[in-house]
Structure formats: C-alpha cells, structure tokens
Amino acid sequence: MRVNRRGVAMLATLVSVLACAPADEPPPATHPASASAGAGEPGPASAGAGEPGIGDPDFPEDGNGGYDVSHYDLAIDYSPTTKRLDGVTTVKATATHDLSSFNLDLTGLNVRTITVDDAQATFGRKGSELTVRPAEPIGKNDRFTATITYSGVPKPAKDSANLGTYGFIPTSDGAFVASEPNGSKTWFPNNDHPADKATFDFTVTVPAGVTALANGEQIGQPTTAGGKTTFRWRERHPMASYLATATMGKFELRQGSTSAGIPNLAATDPKFKGSLDSLYTTSAEVTDYWSTVFGPYPFSSTGGVVDDYSAGYALENQTKPLYGGFHPDEAIIAHELAHQWFGNSLTISRWKDLWLNEGFATYAEWLWSEHKGKKSAEALFNENHRRSADDAIWKYPPGRARPGDLFNQSVYTRGGMTLHALRKSIGDATFFTLLKAWTAEHRYGYVTTEGFVALAERLSGKDLGPLFDAWLFQPRRPA
Ligand code: TRP
Ligand code: ZN
C-alpha cells in the first residue's frame, strides 16, 4: 500500500487495524502508508528503475524506492584481528512497481557477486548506492530474492553534531554495532531507512572464545569447528535496519526470565563484569513495569549488552539495548527499554518525527523516577522549565528534528516536556489510556506526529493544536 502524504490521514485507521497483532503472530513487515517515495509524484528517472531514496526529504539518499523488504538473512564471518568481514546478505522483497533495476545502500566493502532469484545480476556503485540490474526485469508485486556476497574492512560512520561514531565499530575483541540513524549500510547492504522494517536472521561466525550477540533469540546452540564458532539469532518481529546488531567480543552472560516470564539476557564485557547482575535485574524489572504502563511487551525477549567501547551512549537495539563503555544506571535502562515500544515497535517513517522516540524515552526516565519515589515527573518538568530563556532547547523546536542535528537535546528534553504538558492538560487517566492506545493501535507499525496529535485529541475530546504547536514547533519557551 503506497500513497502520497495527503492520503496518510485517511488511511491511518485502516493501517492501525492491520498493524494490530499479538506478539506471537508477527504481521508481515510492510512499508508504512506514509513511506511512499514515488506514488502520486513524478515517476522515476528512467522507466523501471527503483528510486535511490525512500522519500525522506531530509535524508534523500537513505533507503530506496520500488520495493519493500520482508526479510534479511545475514551471514557474516568476522575476524577481530584482521578486522575483515565476509558477508552474504539475502534480501527477500516485493516490487512495488516494475523494476529493471533497484538500489540497496552499502558504504565501502567490496561486492563480489549478486544474484536475483538465482540468476547472476550486474551491479554498479556510486557513493553509498549499490544499483542492481537483474537478468530479467521484476514485475510489479512480484516477490524476489537478492543475494549479495561481499567482504572488506567495515568503516564506521561519523556524525558531527551529537553522536560521534556509529555503525559497525571494531573493538579489540570484536565489534560494537550501533547503527542509528543510517549506519547499517556500513556492514550489510540494505534498505537503510526505518520506513522499511523487516524480520531478520543472523548467522555470525567468530573465532572460538568470542561471543556474537544479535537481535531476537538464539536458534540452537552455537557450533564450533576449525577454531571458529557460529551463532544463530532470529528476530521474528519487524525491525528497522538501524536496530540490527551483531555485537561481538568476550562477554559474561546471565540468562533467565523476568517475573512476568519474558526471556531475559544480560551480557557484559569482562571489564564491566560488576554490572552484569544489576543489568539483568533492572532490565527485567523495567520490562515488566513498562508492560503495565505502555501495554504488552512487543518482542520475544529482553535484556542488554555492555561492551567496552566508550560510546558514551546507549542504543536501543531491538531486544538488546547496547551500552557503550559505562555502568548503566536505572534511568538509562528505563530509557532504552521504553524505546522497545517507542521507536522499535512503533517506528517513525520520517526522521523529523524523532521526538516520538526520544521525547517518549526521556519522559519514561521521569516516569521511572516517579515510580521509584524519587523526583516526580512534575518536579523534573519544572526543573527544565526553569532553564533560562536563552537556553538552546527553546530555540530548537523538537517536533521537527533537523537532519544535521537530529539528536539535539531539545528532541529529548523538550520532547519529554511536551508529554508532561499534555498529561497536565488532559489529566492522568486520559494520558495513560492514550499511551496504551497509541502502542496498541500502531504495534509493529509506523507512526507520525500528526497521528499522535489526532489520537490525543480523539481520546481527550480537546483541541490540543495550540499546546502541541507551542511545545513542538515554536522557537521559544512555551508559557
Ligand atoms: N537512540 C540513542 C538513545 O538516545 C542515541 C543514539 C543514536 C545512539 N544513534 C546512536 C547511540 C548510535 C549509540 C550509537 O538512546
Ligand atoms: Zn533514546
């Protein structure tokens, strides 16, 4: 289903019905109605060529048009000593229009061969665009399988504003893999934009003694032969490419399940051994508590990984948040696990709506503090509201995250404050009903700011236009 932006409102209800499925029956991973690159707009440059971007005006080259991925099968063999990766990526997709060629995103690395439905394809590369020309054109609505064999030394991506290095980052004993917003192209060819989620299988081969931790659950026991161990993982629920990980290294593990019965896996680099038990226990407690506040946990397992790489940040990798080089406290665990609902199950289809991830996860930190009898959300809101009038967060409207400065503090803090202002306006009962309705209606799907505002107005019966406008879109401190 591909419509232009004007069709989004009309289709929102239909999409939300389709997106609603129980955790053990994942729906097919399809594009959001709003992710259209081409429908209703001028056609592709040459008839039959897939578009080189998915249609996010802020990131014109990220993702691709002309097809919809349903599944990735990643096989990678990585050597921490040579830092060389040998990979085979199998992409299962459906053409959304006739295709004489289509693009994938991949940065660096050498592509050896590509087949489409078992026939040799030709390909070309330009920057991060990999253009694939199948032997036979693919018809609209046809399903096809592309297999890309590649290798090389992955180079991480750099963000000048807030993040530093991201993507596939080599460490002394393996790799730290955290790809938001568009770093998955540094380690496998894919449709590198959250507007095309898919399920994933991982087969990761590393030197014996090294552990590979990918998303979802382990399939069978690791097998060792010839000094190498192969780990298999499967994420059965739709996942944005930026949440995919295959973090490798020496790890201590603790496994079990939460009180509510969700499988829980904590892993820490030996240097952070002291964090293993608290990571395990807090992740379990937070997952169960958020399930009572936000609605049922969307995935089949929870947990976290602490690696010895000083990212200074954590990333909410699906089912396995990754903490970079520090002891994670309760607040950051509460933040990353809140993203399992806000960001991972409910996914933005345009990066400008990032406050729907970061504002919600920040507000979750405040809710956790309140739950624990520490500072209330109200107190935390007030502390921030008292920031001086020339504080940078008042100039940066969080409802419109900027491509060069996506992870600005305003998107987090003023985004979180927006939710508290909303809570005060509509009252606790409606606010907490709204959070659950939001996650239920868009479970495993795609979300927009307009959709959230519309639901808040529907459930409260109030005109919330002025509130959201002041908090999300004005370059000044709201009253
Ligand atoms: N989403 C992360 C958070 O706030 C921040 C983040 C974005 C990040 N991209 C990253 C962290 C890449 C590590 C690496 O929780
Ligand atoms: Zn976050």
Side-chain angles (χ1 to χ4, degrees), residues 316 335-336 339 358 361 412:
E316 62 266 25
H335 179 114
E336 304 310 332
H339 276 308
E358 301 304 347
Y412 286 73

mmCIF file of all heavy atoms in Angstrom, residues 316 335-336 339 358 361 412, ligand 2:
data_model
loop_
_atom_site.group_PDB
_atom_site.id
_atom_site.type_symbol
_atom_site.label_atom_id
_atom_site.label_comp_id
_atom_site.label_asym_id
_atom_site.label_seq_id
_atom_site.Cartn_x
_atom_site.Cartn_y
_atom_site.Cartn_z
ATOM 1 N N GLU A 316 19.123 1.562 21.570
ATOM 2 C CA GLU A 316 18.011 0.676 21.902
ATOM 3 C C GLU A 316 17.871 -0.517 20.961
ATOM 4 O O GLU A 316 16.749 -0.945 20.665
ATOM 5 C CB GLU A 316 16.719 1.499 21.907
ATOM 6 C CG GLU A 316 16.330 2.145 20.551
ATOM 7 C CD GLU A 316 16.799 3.578 20.364
ATOM 8 O OE1 GLU A 316 17.797 3.977 21.013
ATOM 9 O OE2 GLU A 316 16.187 4.305 19.559
ATOM 10 N N HIS A 335 15.197 4.180 29.890
ATOM 11 C CA HIS A 335 15.137 4.885 28.610
ATOM 12 C C HIS A 335 15.208 3.892 27.439
ATOM 13 O O HIS A 335 14.339 3.883 26.559
ATOM 14 C CB HIS A 335 16.292 5.898 28.559
ATOM 15 C CG HIS A 335 16.387 6.687 27.285
ATOM 16 N ND1 HIS A 335 16.174 8.047 27.230
ATOM 17 C CD2 HIS A 335 16.687 6.313 26.016
ATOM 18 C CE1 HIS A 335 16.327 8.472 25.994
ATOM 19 N NE2 HIS A 335 16.650 7.429 25.228
ATOM 20 N N GLU A 336 16.242 3.064 27.427
ATOM 21 C CA GLU A 336 16.442 2.159 26.280
ATOM 22 C C GLU A 336 15.319 1.134 26.165
ATOM 23 O O GLU A 336 14.908 0.769 25.057
ATOM 24 C CB GLU A 336 17.801 1.452 26.355
ATOM 25 C CG GLU A 336 19.010 2.398 26.466
ATOM 26 C CD GLU A 336 19.041 3.516 25.446
ATOM 27 O OE1 GLU A 336 18.503 3.353 24.332
ATOM 28 O OE2 GLU A 336 19.608 4.586 25.777
ATOM 29 N N HIS A 339 12.205 2.528 24.610
ATOM 30 C CA HIS A 339 12.303 2.543 23.137
ATOM 31 C C HIS A 339 11.788 1.246 22.502
ATOM 32 O O HIS A 339 11.474 1.242 21.311
ATOM 33 C CB HIS A 339 13.759 2.712 22.709
ATOM 34 C CG HIS A 339 14.258 4.121 22.657
ATOM 35 N ND1 HIS A 339 13.600 5.130 21.976
ATOM 36 C CD2 HIS A 339 15.389 4.689 23.165
ATOM 37 C CE1 HIS A 339 14.318 6.252 22.075
ATOM 38 N NE2 HIS A 339 15.403 6.011 22.790
ATOM 39 N N GLU A 358 12.610 9.797 21.109
ATOM 40 C CA GLU A 358 13.465 10.306 22.191
ATOM 41 C C GLU A 358 12.702 11.094 23.259
ATOM 42 O O GLU A 358 13.066 11.030 24.434
ATOM 43 C CB GLU A 358 14.616 11.138 21.611
ATOM 44 C CG GLU A 358 15.513 10.380 20.632
ATOM 45 C CD GLU A 358 16.129 9.098 21.202
ATOM 46 O OE1 GLU A 358 16.072 8.902 22.437
ATOM 47 O OE2 GLU A 358 16.651 8.286 20.404
ATOM 48 N N ALA A 361 11.068 8.346 25.335
ATOM 49 C CA ALA A 361 12.040 7.603 26.160
ATOM 50 C C ALA A 361 12.554 8.483 27.300
ATOM 51 O O ALA A 361 12.810 8.006 28.403
ATOM 52 C CB ALA A 361 13.180 7.082 25.290
ATOM 53 N N TYR A 412 15.085 15.396 22.940
ATOM 54 C CA TYR A 412 14.960 14.559 24.140
ATOM 55 C C TYR A 412 14.167 15.287 25.240
ATOM 56 O O TYR A 412 13.095 14.862 25.643
ATOM 57 C CB TYR A 412 16.361 14.232 24.693
ATOM 58 C CG TYR A 412 17.131 13.206 23.890
ATOM 59 C CD1 TYR A 412 17.685 13.528 22.651
ATOM 60 C CD2 TYR A 412 17.322 11.917 24.372
ATOM 61 C CE1 TYR A 412 18.410 12.593 21.927
ATOM 62 C CE2 TYR A 412 18.045 10.976 23.643
ATOM 63 C CZ TYR A 412 18.590 11.315 22.425
ATOM 64 O OH TYR A 412 19.294 10.391 21.714
HETATM 65 ZN ZN ZN B 2 16.874 7.339 23.230
#
